[in-house]
Amino acid sequence: IYFDNTALAQFIGIVALNFILFSGGLDTHWQTISPILWRGVSLATIGVFMTAVAVGLFVHYVFDFTWAEGILLGSIVSATDAAAVFSILRNRGIALKGYIRPVLELESGSNDPMAYFLTISLTSIVMSGETDMSVLVPSFFTEFIIGGAMGYLMGRTSVWLINNIGIRSEGLYPVLTLALALFTYSATHYIGGNGFLAIYLCALIMGNSNMVHRRSLLRFYDGQAWLMQIVMF
């Protein structure tokens, strides 16, 4: 089957990843991740960066890539895949000692913003041949701050709206939640924030709040995450 449409492939991948991250955030318990929050965040940011640099060093010296090309390749492979981690740890019932499982789940669910930022930045550097840290560093913090703020705001707003809108048909609540999730990503991306961080944080707040039809929404998005994993892989 001949396929050569990068824009469509990117669109499908982003939509699928949004569903997977949203489902993972809904099903993550705050009591589980709060003791290991900084470990997971450190792995999702510093760990991803160190992996990208390590891979970049290797391919630079072994395969004669340029520094920028090497780190770009490292950025692409640096992030743990959230779909694979959630699927293996949750659906196969693998028991890991101590805090290893929640650290892995938190890291895999929150590392995409860092990998996304590195990949986009290094792609621009490779194409232009110029490195402007005065632009990249502020852009990094801007994306994360806006993404975090939007995720928190939309999480609280979504919980309030779902609890107070009073829809008579329970079957429409997954539709409302879907609209809120996609709006969270799209609005955050539109104003310059990181949409992946926003949608994961939004789902994390929703999943740990008192919300009507919470159990049915969890089941619905668990099924959607499975479907998106099939589409993605």
Side-chain angles (χ1 to χ4, degrees), residues 80-146:
T80 310
D81 185 78
V85 170
F86 290 148
S87 175
I88 292 171
L89 294 183
R90 295 185 178 182
N91 299 308
R92 297 190 181 183
I94 296 177
L96 298 174
K97 294 181 180 180
Y99 290 117
I100 296 177
R101 174 172 171 170
V103 167
L104 286 174
E105 289 189 355
L106 177 60
E107 188 275 337
S108 65
S110 57
N111 63 18
D112 289 289
M114 184 66 173
Y116 180 81
F117 172 79
L118 288 176
T119 301
I120 295 299
S121 300
L122 268 298
T123 300
S124 301
I125 292 172
V126 170
M127 293 179 64
S128 65
E130 298 178 356
T131 305
D132 190 352
M133 298 304 294
S134 64
V135 174
L136 291 179
V137 174
S139 174
F140 171 79
F141 286 105
T142 300
E143 283 195 25
F144 273 72
I145 291 171
I146 294 177

Side-chain angles (χ1 to χ4, degrees), residues 10 12 20 28 31 45 57 99 151 168-169 171 179 183 192 212-213 215 219 224 229:
Q10 182 188 38
I12 293 172
I20 293 165
T28 299
Q31 294 85 353
T45 52
L57 286 171
Y99 290 117
R168 292 184 179 181
S169 174
F183 176 80
V212 298
H213 308 302
R215 185 170 297 178
R219 288 198 297 266
Q224 289 294 316
Q229 289 173 31

Side-chain angles (χ1 to χ4, degrees), residues 41-52 78:
V41 172
S42 298
L43 284 173
T45 52
I46 301 172
V48 169
F49 178 76
M50 291 176 65
T51 303
S78 60

